[in-house]
Amino acid sequence: MKGIVLAGGSGTRLHPITQAVSKQLLPVYDKPMIYYPLSVLMLAGIREMLVISTPTDLPNFRRLLGDGSQLGLDLRYAEQPSPNGLAEAFVIGADFIGDDDVALILGDNIFYGRGFSGTLKEQVDTLDGCVLFGYSVKDPQRYGVGEVDERGKLLSIEEKPARPRSNQAITGLYLYDNEVVDIARNLTPSARGELEITDVNLTYLRRDRARLVQLSRGFAWLDTGTHDSLLEAAQFVQVLEHRTGVRIACLEEVALRMGFISPDECFQLGAKLTKSGYGEYVMDVARQAGAS
């Protein structure tokens, strides 16, 4: 499976901050926002990834992440000149996807919870069609909503319904088989001229090939699209890291734990950041894993 991080858009809800920098490059406590979705794909065992952003912002992502080889990844980049809908990612990334299945994650979504890596790998290994991830919210009318029966089978998907049939918001993480490329290419654009991800999901639903995995209680899903939610996400990460001593979405540590890099390679990455607590943490992790 390959992965796509959609990090485009103009971030208008975060103006004036995002008039000069991509939203996905803003800090969420101690690391750039894009580290969080990248870590999710890595935890799913995905090593080939495509970052899609605007022509203006792509050079900054390249400067931050390079080709990914230092983390044992194969990172590539593609332009989305204007925000023409989430599903356009599959049209832009068609050559990158090739004959593989694909995971799409939004660049401003943060996921955190015990056992998440195991859940992801299980869903990747058993993928047959489309897998969506649902999260219980108190205001489902603000989201795309998935309705499931008592056995967990997905029955319906509605976008921002006035009368939601459930409280399961569909999060910004999606797994698809290779048919998604042709489905996206054949979508009719919405009234706004966008290729809507809900239309992709409904296509799979009509074919009875869509599932909704409900993220458990105690799990955290954060969307950092507003000033308040960005601050709340940073405070959430700060509290967890201070109390546990573990850094969330530390790409170097995730790469080490997943076997993408060796302890010595991890230590060298930390050594480049020795003047920060982040670099010291990476070196400590590497030492505990046996770095010489």
Side-chain angles (χ1 to χ4, degrees):
M1 177 174 280
K2 292 178 179 173
I4 295 177
V5 180
L6 190 54
S10 53
T12 51
R13 290 186 297 166
L14 285 170
H15 280 178
I17 304 171
T18 48
Q19 287 180 305
V21 63
S22 167
K23 171 173 65 175
Q24 292 82 9
L25 290 171
L26 294 176
V28 177
Y29 186 48
D30 57 352
K31 61 192 74 70
M33 187 186 297
I34 196 171
Y35 273 38
Y36 296 87
L38 283 173
S39 71
V40 170
L41 297 182
M42 293 169 69
L43 288 170
I46 298 170
R47 301 178 72 165
E48 294 180 73
M49 305 179 194
L50 179 70
V51 176
I52 298 178
S53 190
T54 66
T56 300
D57 293 319
L58 274 179
N60 293 325
F61 286 106
R62 285 194 178 98
R63 188 176 304 112
L64 174 67
L65 302 168
D67 63 4
S69 59
Q70 74 278 12
L71 297 169
L73 306 177
D74 177 4
L75 278 181
R76 307 178 204 178
Y77 302 87
E79 295 182 357
Q80 186 184 38
S82 56
N84 294 325
L86 305 186
E88 190 182 36
F90 305 114
V91 179
I92 294 171
D95 290 341
F96 164 77
I97 297 168
D99 297 325
D100 291 309
D101 299 336
V102 62
L104 173 68
I105 187 167
L106 305 188
D108 61 357
N109 275 214
I110 296 174
F111 295 83
Y112 178 79
R114 184 178 296 276
F116 191 38
S117 179
T119 299
L120 289 173
K121 286 187 281 189
E122 178 185 356
Q123 296 306 321
V124 168
D125 291 343
T126 60
L127 179 64
D128 180 21
C130 160
V131 173
L132 310 174
F133 293 86
Y135 186 78
S136 297
V137 295
K138 63 181 179 180
D139 49 356
Q141 64 275 8
R142 294 179 51 223
Y143 304 90
V145 174
E147 177 194 11
V148 296
D149 64 15
E150 64 278 1
R151 295 170 298 172
K153 180 180 179 181
L154 186 60
L155 300 176
S156 70
I157 301 171
E158 295 180 287
E159 187 65 29
K160 297 181 180 178
R163 297 180 179 177
R165 298 179 182 179
S166 85
N167 67 344
Q168 288 292 308
I170 296 174
T171 69
L173 173 62
Y174 316 85
L175 307 180
Y176 299 102
D177 66 13
N178 192 255
E179 286 188 57
V180 73
V181 176
D182 286 334
I183 290 172
R185 281 173 169 161
N186 291 304
L187 285 181
T188 300
S190 67
R192 297 181 297 178
E194 298 181 358
L195 300 182
E196 302 286 356
I197 199 72
T198 298
D199 292 336
V200 171
N201 298 335
L202 286 171
T203 300
Y204 277 100
L205 181 62
R206 286 192 291 268
R207 297 177 181 178
D208 199 25
R209 300 189 67 228
R211 291 192 294 127
L212 182 73
V213 174
Q214 299 182 55
L215 298 174
S216 61
R217 292 179 65 180
F219 198 93
W221 168 57
L222 306 171
D223 180 344
T224 55
T226 68
H227 297 101
D228 285 343
S229 61
L230 181 62
L231 178 60
E232 289 166 2
Q235 292 171 332
F236 173 81
V237 173
Q238 180 194 38
V239 169
L240 274 176
E241 292 189 353
H242 282 192
R243 291 188 177 181
T244 65
V246 175
R247 294 198 179 234
I248 300 171
C250 173
L251 298 186
E252 296 83 357
E253 181 178 16
V254 175
L256 176 62
R257 304 298 189 206
M258 296 298 296
F260 298 168
I261 60 175
S262 70
D264 286 341
E265 289 170 325
C266 183
F267 185 88
Q268 291 303 317
L269 292 175
K272 295 177 181 178
L273 305 170
T274 50
K275 292 187 178 180
S276 71
Y278 184 94
E280 292 291 342
Y281 174 82
V282 172
M283 288 191 291
D284 285 343
V285 167
R287 288 190 192 99
Q288 292 169 19
S292 56

